[in-house]
Amino acid sequence: MSDLEKKEFISAKKGKILEELLIEKLFKEEGVIIRKWEGEANAKDYIAEIKKGDIQFVGILDSNLVKNGYGYMSLPNNERYFGVYTDDLRSKHGIYQYPDKINGDKIEREFFFGVFNEGKADNRGVYLWITEDKNVPMFNNFEEADFSCFIGDLNAKHFIEGTYMTKKGEEYFVYHGKFNEKNEKDGDWAFYYNSDKDELMYGKVEQNKFVNAYLSVFDDDGNIKNGIFVNFDENRKIKDYKQKEEMPDKSVIFDKMFDFRNIILDKDYFGEVFNTFKNTLSYIDENVNLESLDSPDKFPKLINASFNFNKMTIKEDIEKVLAKYE
């Protein structure tokens, strides 16, 4: 039963369902339970649990049996959503898992966790792409998982400004800046950190390539051991450069770079992303049911779970520390 088929099921039996709800306060048949919602005082809404084949819906329906309020929808191939619905569309805030993709012995998963508007990601949130062994549970091993994520401002799948993080084995990369309409890294003042080289670049990026940038390489104590300003050619090869000592008026730039590196190394932001998704999805799986929706204790906790994207704070932490340079 697709989402459309679920709507058609309710629509076809709407009169009968509402009649039974009025008389018996309950509509029940194989795979379907709809009853009065007791989660809020004097609520006129209903809660439903619908299980048909690979489809499951648990959530709040309004007096016309339309999804309005919190709900959980699970579809084949692990596609699912938990969060707010408005007039049957994903809305306000929630977490959405795209259908899985199998690639050999690996499974590739994509998620969006954040703000929704009329069914689409909007305003701000976190995209995550993760590749794991298909034979182990989801989010099983942080060390072995490869993943990328975007945290920031967006419009649907168009990134506007934020932090893009990539983890490959023990190496990781962090970009902080703006993006163009093709989601390419593109901006006048962008940061890019490479953990393998302990190298940070800060400058102008066009279509994922630096045009020019200040470049800092750090020593074992975290101090800048080499700082230069570089111009690149179209093949990203160094065209010319200037040593840090030749531009004393730019020392504040290197102070800013020093602070940026300290921010992203001060906290395990990659672990924060991994564990926020893992714990949120686990909590939803264990607690989304009719009894939880009715519970004055569990229902507020489910609401709070849909806001967990706010726990992934790297973009805000960077902006807060660097605000002193503005």
Side-chain angles (χ1 to χ4, degrees):
M1 179 185 283
S2 67
D3 200 19
L4 177 61
E5 288 170 331
K6 182 192 72 64
K7 291 169 66 176
E8 290 176 344
F9 164 83
I10 291 178
S11 178
K13 298 191 175 185
K14 184 175 180 180
K16 179 183 178 182
I17 294 172
L18 288 174
E19 182 179 355
E20 291 197 23
L21 288 171
L22 182 64
I23 298 171
E24 303 291 339
K25 310 298 183 185
L26 173 70
F27 175 84
K28 188 174 183 179
E29 66 173 49
E30 185 178 356
V32 179
I33 299 174
I34 303 176
R35 63 175 171 80
K36 200 73 174 176
W37 183 39
E38 300 174 1
E40 290 185 354
N42 303 315
K44 297 180 180 179
D45 296 330
Y46 303 101
I47 52 176
E49 182 176 77
I50 301 173
K51 295 181 179 179
K52 295 286 187 178
D54 293 330
I55 308 301
Q56 179 183 6
F57 172 77
V58 180
I60 298 170
L61 306 176
D62 66 17
S63 57
N64 288 314
L65 305 183
V66 175
K67 294 199 295 291
N68 267 299
Y70 277 86
Y72 172 85
M73 174 69 76
S74 175
L75 301 168
N77 204 15
N78 287 330
E79 180 182 2
R80 55 180 167 168
Y81 170 75
F82 170 75
V84 181
Y85 284 94
T86 299
D87 296 332
D88 269 325
L89 295 174
R90 295 188 291 270
S91 173
K92 297 181 180 177
H93 41 83
I95 182 169
Y96 174 65
Q97 179 177 349
Y98 292 80
D100 292 343
K101 297 178 182 178
I102 304 296
N103 186 2
D105 61 350
K106 298 292 185 180
I107 186 166
E108 300 171 1
R109 297 185 173 100
E110 179 179 353
F111 303 85
F112 175 75
F113 198 178
V115 180
F116 290 84
N117 182 25
E118 296 184 347
K120 298 180 180 180
D122 185 59
N123 188 259
R124 66 182 300 268
V126 182
Y127 272 103
L128 172 68
W129 302 266
I130 185 166
T131 301
E132 298 178 285
D133 186 328
K134 70 178 182 181
N135 298 310
V136 301
M138 183 169 61
F139 291 99
N140 181 68
N141 190 311
F142 172 77
E143 283 74 22
E144 294 182 5
D146 290 339
F147 64 88
S148 296
C149 69
F150 168 82
I151 303 173
D153 306 323
L154 49 88
N155 181 3
K157 280 201 165 183
H158 172 211
F159 306 156
I160 299 172
E161 184 172 8
T163 307
Y164 194 98
M165 305 161 54
T166 302
K167 174 186 174 296
K168 294 182 178 180
E170 296 182 355
E171 298 178 9
Y172 61 88
F173 311 87
V174 178
Y175 170 86
H176 181 78
K178 294 183 178 181
F179 297 78
N180 62 23
E181 64 280 358
K182 296 181 180 179
N183 280 355
E184 296 170 326
K185 301 173 182 69
D186 199 303
D188 288 339
W189 291 105
F191 291 91
Y192 183 76
Y193 179 75
N194 180 332
S195 71
D196 183 48
K197 298 180 179 179
D198 202 2
E199 175 184 284
L200 175 62
M201 300 180 69
Y202 176 52
K204 185 174 183 177
V205 180
E206 290 182 353
Q207 300 177 335
N208 289 331
K209 295 181 180 180
F210 273 95
V211 176
N212 52 61
Y214 296 91
L215 187 153
S216 294
V217 179
F218 297 84
D219 61 24
D220 292 341
D221 295 321
N223 298 311
I224 297 175
K225 67 178 180 182
N226 189 22
I228 59 176
F229 179 78
V230 182
N231 283 303
F232 296 96
D233 63 21
E234 61 276 8
N235 297 315
R236 204 189 176 278
K237 294 186 179 296
I238 295 177
K239 185 165 57 175
D240 57 67
Y241 67 93
K242 182 184 295 186
Q243 292 285 356
K244 179 182 177 183
E245 291 74 17
E246 299 178 61
M247 39 184 176
D249 58 320
K250 301 298 182 184
S251 60
V252 68
I253 295 289
F254 292 97
D255 290 343
K256 191 174 185 178
M257 297 173 73
F258 178 83
D259 283 348
F260 179 90
R261 177 184 179 275
N262 284 346
I263 297 165
I264 62 175
L265 295 184
D266 184 58
K267 185 176 176 181
D268 181 12
Y269 288 106
F270 286 86
E272 180 179 75
V273 170
F274 185 91
N275 289 317
T276 298
F277 274 91
K278 177 180 179 178
N279 294 337
T280 301
L281 290 167
S282 176
Y283 184 81
I284 291 168
D285 288 340
E286 293 173 3
N287 291 280
V288 174
N289 51 56
L290 296 184
E291 290 70 28
S292 293
L293 293 177
D294 277 339
S295 169
D297 176 53
K298 292 184 178 180
F299 183 59
K301 292 179 180 178
L302 283 173
I303 293 175
N304 288 338
S306 68
F307 284 101
N308 280 348
F309 63 92
N310 288 319
K311 294 182 177 181
M312 295 172 276
T313 61
I314 186 169
K315 175 178 181 291
E316 290 76 13
D317 292 348
I318 290 171
E319 291 174 347
K320 182 177 179 180
V321 170
L322 296 185
K324 67 182 181 181
Y325 292 100
E326 296 178 358

